[in-house]
């Protein structure tokens, strides 16, 4: 089985480019025959240094805001929240492009250029007519091929190597001395300096986090670097090498300390040294041998991730329906057409493989930060939504498939970020709310900024970002069974719970628990980004006194804490805070009280699940967020087996939301796939897969919100895997695995195989299926 994205036309826009990455460096390849562009990213290039945006007035007005909400004076409460809960400064730092490397290729008889912007040579018709390009997922490289009017063939191979932590491009021609080029770096007005030095070209900027980009080339022809350009003549084989280096985070730092730390400029010296060493290596070995060495090192490292798992729907392993290589191998466009007309599942297979590729390319060592809204790839200085970490679902969705897809190491950057959040979130919890533990609102950035992102009533004052993220720690442990990992990150679960012990308030309006005491609620809160209409006024509100998502996330969080604590103690070890001090036993009593005083899901008069703690009319009945189904997925409090009545209500809720146009963004439709999979509704899950592919997927298979947003790729991958396998662990630590829980009835889904998918309990599962029944089931410890 071969996984390749094939194209016979160059990409039309940046969103259609071919993504490459090594976890730290990202590249989007324009894949143009003559006017190549490599758009560059480095995970640490953000718009500025650390900020203190904490609004210390919050605690002085918090009780007043809560009282207004409790009294039904929601609009007054919203005004007070805007004034006193908003961050001091309406923007966290944003993720930014490192710029672009433009490389103009031309023949010796086409050396001059006409007036144009950007200045570039005309692409001959013959080059376009013979064009083909490919993104090879098996070995993580892109390839561009074409011929000129004389029949000379040209081939480019581009890859982002984690082994050498650099981006490489080899360019070769079938005839000698046929390649000439002119290359330069560009970032528009957002750069401080462009220059050539030591056979390389450089771009530097220090408006935000300072960084430097460098590119060089070695060839069998003539190479010159002068002014700000890198030029080559009479070449037939070239290796380009590209690197980006930025200031490095090493712990919590103040704005003044940051300004002082950037004076050294050590990243520039490191960049120059690395490029110089690579230049010398290629010259010593020769272009051909150097490329072979670099490419083999890259493939060996990459395939240590890629080869762990394989998925094929439509063939149980005895045939070639999953996509065998050959002259008739279809292009991505042909696969889309075939899927649209015949339900051809080869597109589903390729999409799942591509999404797995994106996880490896965007979130592994040498990278340290998790995937943003656009993953590792962003061409803007001011990107949509800041290309940050939106933690009211999007960042979490990025990592839903990581453990199932045997890519558990790829999730570690998420916990690295949560540790940065912890440093800031403790401060925000104490200064804004006078609470212990730590808090995160609905967005964060490079620095782990935990204050409210802005003054958006429907999102900014939501306080459950850290609570949701901390649940990933226990889930990660369930898959890998690595106790040292659990001990390492346990404090992030415990401290998230501590915040809510202090922050939650009793509410008789929400109802009474079994002991006759009021339920505990988050106040103020919101159901993320949604709004409701007050019957008395007919006006729109969003702030509330608790909602179903709050209850479900906190049930999940406090349950994860109990299980994690029990597991650590069962091994004779202690639950320690970050400083190595054991947590007091009284915390367990507080946590148990909270867990027993969270409101269980309730139903609306039509039998659907309530979204808020009271029944309200939704303003946007087809809203993209379906937050009140958190307990169905990724939570674990609703299931067809354990809570059949609630599962039926969840189904009714989902059908209701979809009937009004819900699931209209890529990531929202991806969530829908997972909901249907959780309800064992295979046909409806397949219909959601069809919708995300045909309505919310770009020609290069990237998810389209719109605009491009990568979470849908990962959410859909998780959903496809969960249609085939689901697993859980009981309180005794025993794993339960269900094979083919949501297999569609469509004929094209009735056979297939999975190799190396991970299930909870530290197990790897492989099996085939035919006529809807599994066989050759093999389970082994990892």
């Amino acid at each position: 089985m071969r996984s390749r994205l094939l194209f016979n036309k160059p990409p039309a826009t940046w969103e259609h480019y071919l993504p490459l990455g090594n976890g730290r460096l990202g590249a989007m390849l324009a894949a143009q025959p003559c006017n190549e562009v490599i758009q560059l990213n480095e995970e640490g290039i953000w718009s500025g240094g650390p900020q203190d945006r904490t609004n210390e007035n919050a605690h002085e007005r918090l009780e007043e805001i809560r009282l207004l909400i409790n009294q039904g004076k929601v609009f007054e409460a919203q005004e007070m929240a805007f004034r006193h809960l908003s961050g001091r400064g309406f923007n966290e730092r944003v993720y930014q492009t490192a710029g672009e490397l433009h490389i103009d290729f031309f023949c010796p008889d086409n050396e001059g250029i006409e007036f144009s912007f950007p200045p570039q040579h005309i692409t001959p018709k013959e080059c376009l007519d013979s064009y083909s390009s490919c993104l090879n997922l098996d070995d993580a490289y892109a390839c561009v091929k074409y011929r000129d009017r004389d029949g000379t063939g040209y081939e480019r191979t581009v890859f982002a190597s984690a082994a050498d932590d650099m981006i490489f491009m080899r360019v070769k021609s079938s005839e000698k001395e046929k390649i000439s080029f002119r290359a330069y770096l560009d970032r528009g007005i957002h750069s401080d300096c462009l220059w050539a030095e030591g056979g390389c070209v450089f771009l530097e900027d220090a408006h935000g986090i300072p960084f430097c980009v460098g590119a060089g080339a070695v060839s069998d022809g003539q190479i010159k670097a002068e002014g700000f350009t890198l030029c080559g003549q009479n070449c037939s084989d070239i290796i380009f090498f590209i690197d980006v280096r930025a200031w490095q985070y090493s712990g919590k730092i103040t704005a003044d300390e940051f300004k002082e730390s950037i004076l050294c400029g050590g990243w520039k010296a490191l960049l120059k040294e690395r490029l110089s060493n690579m230049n010398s290596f290629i010259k010593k070995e020769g272009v051909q041998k150097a490329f072979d060495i670099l490419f083999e090192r890259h493939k060996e490292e990459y395939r240590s991730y890629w080869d762990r798992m394989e998925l094929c729907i439509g063939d149980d392993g005895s045939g070639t329906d999953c996509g065998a290589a050959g002259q008739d191998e279809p292009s991505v466009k042909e696969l889309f057409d075939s899927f649209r007309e015949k339900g051809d599942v080869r597109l589903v297979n390729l999409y799942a493989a591509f999404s797995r590729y994106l996880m490896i390319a965007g979130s592994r060592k040498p990278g340290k930060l998790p995937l943003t809204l656009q993953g590792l790839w962003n061409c803007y200085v001011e990107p949509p939504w800041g290309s940050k970490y939106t933690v009211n679902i999007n960042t979490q969705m990025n990592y839903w498939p990581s453990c199932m897809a045997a890519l558990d190491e790829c999730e570690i950057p998420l916990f690295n970020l949560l540790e940065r959040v912890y440093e800031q979130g403790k401060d925000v919890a104490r200064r804004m709310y006078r609470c212990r533990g730590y808090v995160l609102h609905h967005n964060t950035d490079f620095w782990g900024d935990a204050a409210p992102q802005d003054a958006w009533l429907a999102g900014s004052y939501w306080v459950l970002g850290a609570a949701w993220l901390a649940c990933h720690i226990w889930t990660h442990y369930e898959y890998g069974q690595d106790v040292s990992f659990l001990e390492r990150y346990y404090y992030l679960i415990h401290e998230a719970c501590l915040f809510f012990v202090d922050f939650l308030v009793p509410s008789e309006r929400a109802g009474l628990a079994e002991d006759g005491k009021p339920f505990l609620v988050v106040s103020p809160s919101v159901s993320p980004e949604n709004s409701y209409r007050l019957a008395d006024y007919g006006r729109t509100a969003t702030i509330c006194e608790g909602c179903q998502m709050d209850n479900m996330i906190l049930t999940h969080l406090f349950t994860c804490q109990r299980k994690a604590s029990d597991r650590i103690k069962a091994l004779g070890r202690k639950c320690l805070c970050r400083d190595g001090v054991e947590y007091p036993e009284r915390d367990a009593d507080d946590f148990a009280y909270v867990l027993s005083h969270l409101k269980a899901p309730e139903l609306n008069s039509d039998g659907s699940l309530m979204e808020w703690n009271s029944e309200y009319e939704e303003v946007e009945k087809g809203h993209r967020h379906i937050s009140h189904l958190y307990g169905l997925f990724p939570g674990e409090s609703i299931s067809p087996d354990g809570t059949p009545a609630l599962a039926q209500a969840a189904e009714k809720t989902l059908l209701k939301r979809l009937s009004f146009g819900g699931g209209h963004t890529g990531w929202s439709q991806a969530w829908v796939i997972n909901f249907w999979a959780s309800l064992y509704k295979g046909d409806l899950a397949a219909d959601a897969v069809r919708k995300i592919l045909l309505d919310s997927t770009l020609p290069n298979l990237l998810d389209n919100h719109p605009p491009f947003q990568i979470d849908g790729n990962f959410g859909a991958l998780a959903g496809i895997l969960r249609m085939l396998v689901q697993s859980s662990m009981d309180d005794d630590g025993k794993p339960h695995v269900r094979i083919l829980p949501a297999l569609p009835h469509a004929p094209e889904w009735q056979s297939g195989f999975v190799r190396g998918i991970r299930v909870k309990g530290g197990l790897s599962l492989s099996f085939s299926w035919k006529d809807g029944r599994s066989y050759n089931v093999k389970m082994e410890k990892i």
Side-chain angles (χ1 to χ4, degrees), residues 107 109-110 124-127 147-152:
C107 298
D109 62 353
N110 186 29
K125 180 177 181 298
E126 294 82 1
C127 297
R147 291 185 174 275
D148 65 16
R149 63 173 65 95
D150 297 324
T152 300

Side-chain angles (χ1 to χ4, degrees), residues 216-220 223 237-241 278-279 282-283 287:
V218 175
S219 169
D220 58 356
I223 301 285
D237 204 353
I238 314 166
I239 294 181
F240 291 86
F241 46 97
M278 184 55 66
N279 190 308
I282 299 171
K283 286 179 176 177
V287 171

Side-chain angles (χ1 to χ4, degrees), residues 644-662:
L646 287 178
Q648 185 176 6
E651 181 177 351
K652 182 171 289 189
T653 303
L654 188 52
L655 290 169
K656 177 181 174 182
R657 182 60 59 93
L658 295 176
S659 71
F660 288 100

Side-chain angles (χ1 to χ4, degrees), residues 621-624 626 657-665 668-669 672:
K621 298 182 189 300
H623 199 272
R624 61 196 174 277
I626 316 176
R657 182 60 59 93
L658 295 176
S659 71
F660 288 100
H664 52 274
T665 67
S668 182
Q669 193 63 242
V672 171

Side-chain angles (χ1 to χ4, degrees), residues 436-438 490-504 520 554-566 569 575-576 582-598:
R436 296 170 297 165
Y438 72 117
Y490 169 79
Y491 77 96
L492 293 170
I493 303 176
H494 195 107
E495 299 276 341
C497 292
L498 275 180
F499 172 79
F500 287 99
V501 169
D502 293 350
F503 188 82
L504 291 170
L520 298 173
L554 292 180
T555 297
H556 196 188
L557 172 68
F558 281 84
T559 300
C560 288
Q561 183 281 326
R562 175 179 56 79
K563 291 180 177 180
S565 175
D566 288 349
K569 292 176 181 177
C575 296
L576 305 178
E582 186 176 6
Y583 285 110
E585 284 296 326
R586 65 176 177 274
D587 286 354
D589 296 334
D590 291 339
F591 295 166
Y593 183 86
V594 169
L595 193 54
S596 66
H597 289 78
L598 295 172

